Amino acid sequence: MSLRFGKRVLFEDVNLKFTPGNCYGIIGANGAGKSTFLNIISGQVDPTTGSVSFTPGERMSVLKQNHYEFDEFTVIETVMMGNQELYKVMKEKDEIYMKEDFSDADGERAGELESLFAEMDGWNAESNAATLLSNLGIQESLHFKLLKELDGNEKVRVLLAQALFGNPDILILDEPTNDLDIHTIAWLEDFLAAYEAIVLVVSHDRHFLDAVCTHIVDIDFGKMSIYTGNYSFWYESSQLALKQRTDQNKKMEDKVKELQEFIRRFSANASKSKQATSRKKALEKINIDEIKPSNRKYPAIMFNSMDREPGDQILHIEKLGKTIGEEVYFNDVTFMVNKGDKIALLAENNLVTSAFYDIITGRDQDHRGEYKWGVTITPADMPIDNAEFFEGKTENLVDWLRDYTSKPEADEQFIRGFLGKMLFSGEEVLKKCSVLSGGEKMRCMFSRMMLQGANFLIFDEPTNHLDLESITALNNGMTDFRGSIIFTSRDHELTQTVANRIIELTPNGVIDKLMTYDEYINSDVVKAQREELYRRR
C-alpha cells in the first residue's frame, strides 16, 4: 500500500498483517499519517496504490470523531448503532410490527428477522449497551436522552461505547482517552487488555499504550514496521540500538549480549500486565536483528540552567480560596512548598487548577487568602492557553524569543541555538509566529521557559498538542530539574514519574500526600478523604 498527496509521500510499499488477540499502537511524529492510516483501514480514505483486505465475515468498528453525527438519536440507540447489522435488523423488525396491514409475507420476514435477532444476541443488546455506558461514566438518567442534550465530554464517552458495542472483530480507536478521567481510562485499559480481537489504536498517552499494546507500528520516513512489545519496550530498545550504532568500536557480540539482557529484564517486568504470558512469549521470540534505532528526533527540553539556586523558603499558601458565581472552586487551601518538591496538582476539572495558577502567577487578584514567594525564587509558568503569546504577533521566531530574555549573550546565534534544541533548524527559525501549529507553539513556549533561568516551574497541561517524542523529552526534563515544580497533567506516565507529592484542591480544603500518583489514586485512605470533602459540598 502507498499514499501520496501530489509529490508528498506519506507511505510507500507498506505490507502489514494484523492478527486477532493483539493490540497495535500506531506511533509516529505529528504529520506522519497515523490518523490517515486508520482512515485507510476503515475505508474512509483510498490508498494511492495497494489494498486492504479482511477475513470474510469480520465486523469492524471505528471510534467516530464527528460529535454531532448522532445528535437526533437517543444515547442508548446511538450505542446500539455501533453494530450496524444488528441495528438494521432491529429497525426493520420494528417497522414490520408497526404496520396496520400485516401480511403473510410480513409474518415470514418477521420470523426470519427474529431468528437473526436472537443469533446476534439482540435480546441483550439494550442491557449490554447500558452496561457499557455505565462503565464509561454515563449515568442511567442520561441513557434515553437525545445525544445533543449531553455535553462534549459525555458525547465522547457515548461514541466510545458505540465503538466497543457488540465486540467487533476489528476495533479502530483514534485518541480514545481524550476527555476521560483516570478511573474510566483504567476501565478501558482493562477492557482492551482482555480483548480477544484486533485493536488498532493511536494515542499520545504512553501509560495507556503500555497497558494495552502487544505490538507497536512505527511510522518513520514513509515506512511502517511492526515491533513486538509495548511503547516503553519499543522506545528503550530503539534508544539502546541508537546508542550502539553511534559506538562504532563496540564488538558485535557485546551488542547482542546487551540487547538480550535488556529483553530479559523487560520480559520480567511484563509480569505485572494482564497480557504477561503472551507478551513474555512474544519477547522470547524477538530476533535481535529486528531491533533497529529510531530515526525520530527528540527536542532537548532542559531546565537546569537556573540563574540562582533556590533557598529554603519556596512558596507559602495560606487559606487561599476562589469562587466563580455560585460555584466554589477551592477554599481554605493552605500548604507550603518545600525544597525539591515536585507537586502534581489535582482537581475535579482543569478550570479549578487553572484558576489556582492564575492566582499564584499574579494574573488574578480576585481571591481570598494569601500566597508568598520566597525571596530567592524566580518562577516561570506555562499556562494552559498560550494564545496571548502569539495572537497578533508578526515577528519571526528569533525576534519572538529574544523578547523573553534579558541575557547579555542572547544574540541571534544564541537564540538560534535554543530554537535548534526545539527542532527548529535552518530557515525554520525565520517562520512567522502567525503560521505555527499547536505543537510548534508549545515548543516555542518551552524555549521561553528555558531562557528564563527559573528555579521554580509551573505547568498547566504541558503535554497538550505534543507528539510522543516531545512528551518523552518534557518528561525527562521535568524529572531532571533540580528546582521545585507544581504541575497539572492528564499524562499518567508523566505524573507518575515526576511527582513526589500530590495535592488535590477541593471546595473544602486540600488533600496533601507525600506519595506517587499511582499510590494516591489507589489509596483507600485518600478515597475516603475525597468522598468526605466532596460530600460536605
Side-chain angles (χ1 to χ4, degrees), residues 215-487:
H215 296 74
I216 292 297
V217 180
D218 181 30
I219 305 176
D220 210 356
F221 288 92
K223 301 295 182 183
M224 290 190 194
S225 304
I226 295 181
Y227 299 97
T228 304
N230 60 16
Y231 176 77
S232 287
F233 180 77
W234 170 85
Y235 171 73
E236 293 183 31
S237 59
S238 67
Q239 290 297 297
L240 178 59
L242 180 62
K243 173 178 170 290
Q244 291 185 343
R245 187 177 70 175
T246 58
D247 185 0
Q248 298 298 326
N249 298 322
K250 194 170 181 65
K251 292 181 180 179
M252 180 56 67
E253 56 265 30
D254 290 341
K255 294 181 182 181
V256 172
K257 187 176 180 181
E258 189 174 1
L259 285 169
Q260 285 175 335
E261 172 62 17
F262 172 76
I263 293 171
R264 187 192 66 76
R265 285 188 288 106
F266 191 90
S267 180
N269 290 340
S271 62
K272 298 177 183 177
S273 169
K274 285 183 169 56
Q275 301 163 313
T277 304
S278 61
R279 187 171 292 162
K280 287 182 73 172
K281 287 180 179 177
L283 288 171
E284 288 164 3
K285 296 177 183 177
I286 288 179
N287 185 336
I288 298 298
D289 295 332
E290 291 178 357
I291 299 179
K292 296 180 174 61
S294 171
N295 289 308
R296 208 88 87 250
K297 293 182 179 179
Y298 293 80
I301 302 177
M302 298 174 288
F303 303 105
N304 274 329
S305 298
M306 297 186 291
D307 291 342
R308 184 179 188 179
E309 285 295 322
D312 293 330
Q313 300 299 314
I314 310 293
L315 174 63
H316 183 206
I317 308 287
E318 183 70 30
K319 295 186 178 300
L320 209 62
K322 180 68 179 179
T323 300
I324 303 290
E326 296 183 356
E327 185 176 358
V328 178
Y329 276 15
F330 49 85
N331 194 39
D332 198 24
V333 172
T334 299
F335 65 88
M336 289 185 65
V337 178
N338 304 309
K339 202 169 184 178
D341 276 349
K342 293 184 178 178
I343 300 170
L345 191 70
L346 311 181
E348 275 195 307
N349 62 65
N350 60 16
L351 294 176
V352 175
T353 48
S354 294
F356 178 86
Y357 295 134
D358 283 344
I359 292 171
I360 66 171
T361 55
R363 290 190 289 265
D364 182 3
Q365 306 293 329
D366 181 19
H367 59 82
R368 300 180 298 278
E370 300 176 341
Y371 67 92
K372 184 177 181 180
W373 290 99
V375 294
T376 63
I377 303 305
T378 53
D381 82 294
M382 177 175 284
I384 192 170
D385 182 2
N386 59 35
E388 66 176 285
F389 294 91
F390 297 98
E391 285 182 355
K393 301 291 180 72
T394 58
E395 62 262 53
N396 61 43
L397 300 191
V398 172
D399 292 336
W400 178 88
L401 189 56
R402 188 185 284 117
D403 288 342
Y404 293 105
T405 181
S406 57
K407 295 180 184 295
E409 70 271 25
D411 58 12
E412 180 167 332
Q413 197 61 34
F414 181 84
I415 298 294
R416 280 176 173 265
F418 261 84
L419 289 169
K421 293 177 182 178
M422 292 298 109
L423 307 182
F424 293 106
S425 59
E427 295 303 307
E428 285 186 315
V429 301
L430 300 179
K431 269 184 171 182
K432 300 295 183 184
C433 294
S434 56
V435 301
L436 297 178
S437 68
E440 288 172 330
K441 287 178 180 177
M442 291 296 287
R443 284 187 273 133
C444 284
M445 292 294 286
F446 290 128
S447 292
R448 166 185 165 271
M449 290 185 79
M450 289 160 58
L451 265 178
Q452 289 177 288
N455 54 27
F456 190 103
L457 303 179
I458 303 168
F459 295 100
D460 191 0
E461 297 293 354
T463 63
N464 286 354
H465 305 293
L466 297 186
D467 55 22
L468 282 166
E469 291 71 47
S470 297
I471 292 173
T472 301
L474 172 63
N475 199 152
N476 293 338
M478 291 173 69
T479 302
D480 295 341
F481 182 59
R482 300 192 312 273
S484 298
I485 301 176
I486 186 166
F487 71 98

Side-chain angles (χ1 to χ4, degrees), residues 67-134:
H67 295 177
Y68 304 99
E69 185 177 346
F70 304 94
D71 270 0
E72 300 304 320
F73 296 92
T74 65
V75 169
I76 200 83
E77 188 176 11
T78 299
V79 174
M80 291 191 289
M81 290 170 76
N83 187 338
Q84 277 295 316
E85 289 302 314
L86 174 61
Y87 184 71
K88 286 177 184 177
V89 169
M90 288 173 59
K91 297 302 289 183
E92 186 180 351
K93 186 163 66 78
D94 290 344
E95 287 171 4
I96 290 175
Y97 288 140
M98 289 175 67
K99 285 185 176 182
E100 294 183 3
D101 52 342
F102 194 83
S103 66
D104 290 344
D106 288 332
E108 290 179 10
R109 180 57 181 163
E112 293 172 0
L113 292 171
E114 289 289 4
S115 178
L116 281 172
F117 190 68
E119 287 177 14
M120 294 178 172
D121 197 27
W123 295 112
N124 293 317
E126 189 170 305
S127 63
N128 290 340
T131 299
L132 267 178
L133 286 167
S134 297

Side-chain angles (χ1 to χ4, degrees), residues 32-51:
K34 301 182 292 292
S35 295
T36 304
F37 176 68
L38 294 188
N39 288 337
I40 292 174
I41 298 293
S42 61
Q44 299 173 61
V45 173
D46 293 325
T48 306
T49 66
S51 61

